[in-house]
Amino acid sequence: MAWYAYCIGEKQAFPELARHRKPVPLESVHGVSGNQVFLYPASDLAVIVSEHNPTEALNQKSGVDHARVIADCFKHSTVLPFRFGTIFNDDDSLRKSIRSNQRQFLGNIDKLRGKTEMHLKILVDDCCTRELAQLSSDKVGRGYLTNLRETASRQRERQTRARAVSFQMHRLFMPLDEEVSCRLTETGKMVLDIAHLIDRKYVERYQNKFTTTSAMMRDCQMQVSGPWPPYHFVHRLTRGAHIPAQPVAPVESITTGAPSSAQPMAAMI
C-alpha cells in the first residue's frame, strides 16, 4: 500500500500514539482525495500520511488539501512539511527514509520548536521604469554599449532599493531569521516576499507592528499572512543535505495553507 506524506511531527504531541505501534487515524482530518489521515509512528516521530492510489493524479485541490493537513497538525506540534506530491510506495520505504534521517529530523524539530513563520508581501514602485523606457533600442555600436551600462546601473539601483526596504523590515520586526526574494511585475512594481521566523507567542505583537508599519510606509503596499508552519526555514536547515523526501525550497501556493508570493504553500521534506 502506498502512503501520501504531509509532514513529520513529534510523537509526544499526539496522545493517540501513546499505546500504538501501528498507524492511528487522526480524527476528523481528511487529506488528498478525501482520504483519512493517519499518524504513522516512527520512534520519537509521527509521520502524517494518508493512503494513496498511485494511479490517481494530483491536482490543485490536492495542493490545498496537502497544505490544510499540515496547518491542522501545526496546531498540535512542530512540523517538518513534506514536498507536495511526496509518496512512499510501501511501509518499508517510509520506515527506511525516516530511520536513516531520524537524527536530522529530530534536530530540526528541536531548532524550530515554538516558532512560526510570518509572511510579508511588499509592493514598491520601481525606481527605474521610466529611465529604462527611455533607453535606445540599438543592438550594435556605441548605443548598444551605452544601453548595457545604463541597464546595469538601473539594476544596481533596484537592488539597493530592495535591500533598503528589506533592511527596514528587519529593523522594525526583528525576526529570529528571514528569507527574502524580489521580483518585478508587468505593472512596473517591485515585489518583495519576506518570510520572518518568530516565536509563536509574539504573533499578536508582530501583527500589531505590521498595522503601524503599513500606515507609516505610505509609498509601499503591504500584506501580511500567517502564522504558518516554518516552511522556508525547514529548507534552510536541510539545504545541501542529500535526504530522500527531504525539505527543500517551497513550492507555489495554490490558494491556502503555506508561503509563496501571495500565500504560503508547501515547503518540503
Side-chain angles (χ1 to χ4, degrees), residues 119-228:
H119 192 255
L120 293 176
K121 180 180 179 181
I122 305 172
L123 281 76
V124 185
D125 288 331
D126 184 4
C127 56
C128 308
T129 302
R130 186 174 302 174
E131 292 87 341
L132 288 173
Q134 295 173 350
L135 292 178
S136 169
S137 59
D138 291 343
K139 301 294 184 181
V140 296
R142 181 175 297 177
Y144 176 70
L145 295 176
T146 300
N147 283 352
L148 287 180
R149 287 194 295 269
E150 290 294 327
T151 300
S153 175
R154 302 310 177 194
Q155 289 175 341
R156 287 193 294 271
E157 288 183 33
R158 284 193 182 116
Q159 292 171 351
T160 299
R161 179 78 182 280
R163 287 194 196 97
V165 174
S166 175
F167 177 78
Q168 190 170 10
M169 294 301 102
H170 183 89
R171 183 173 57 83
L172 288 168
F173 288 93
M174 295 298 291
L176 300 172
D177 202 350
E178 66 183 358
E179 284 277 348
V180 182
S181 64
C182 182
R183 59 186 172 86
L184 293 175
T185 69
E186 295 179 356
T187 58
K189 288 183 178 291
M190 292 190 298
V191 180
L192 271 72
D193 288 308
I194 303 176
H196 282 161
L197 185 69
I198 67 170
D199 283 322
R200 295 182 74 165
K201 60 185 177 182
Y202 295 139
V203 168
E204 183 176 357
R205 187 170 72 180
Y206 186 100
Q207 292 168 334
N208 291 337
K209 174 62 72 172
F210 170 80
T211 300
T212 57
T213 300
S214 58
M216 177 181 67
M217 298 187 65
R218 298 181 180 180
D219 57 335
C220 300
Q221 299 175 43
M222 298 179 61
Q223 300 174 9
V224 66
S225 65
W228 304 109

Side-chain angles (χ1 to χ4, degrees), residues 5-9 66-67 70-71 74 78-84 86 105 109 112 117 228-235 238 245-249 257-259 265-269:
Y6 300 92
C7 59
I8 292 175
H66 176 97
I70 295 172
F74 186 54
T78 301
V79 297
L80 304 179
F82 277 101
R83 180 191 297 272
F84 171 61
T86 296
F105 291 153
I109 285 176
L112 295 172
E117 179 175 318
W228 304 109
Y231 295 96
H232 289 84
F233 306 98
V234 170
H235 161 49
T238 57
Q246 70 191 35
V248 289
M265 171 66 184
M268 338 21 168
I269 291 187

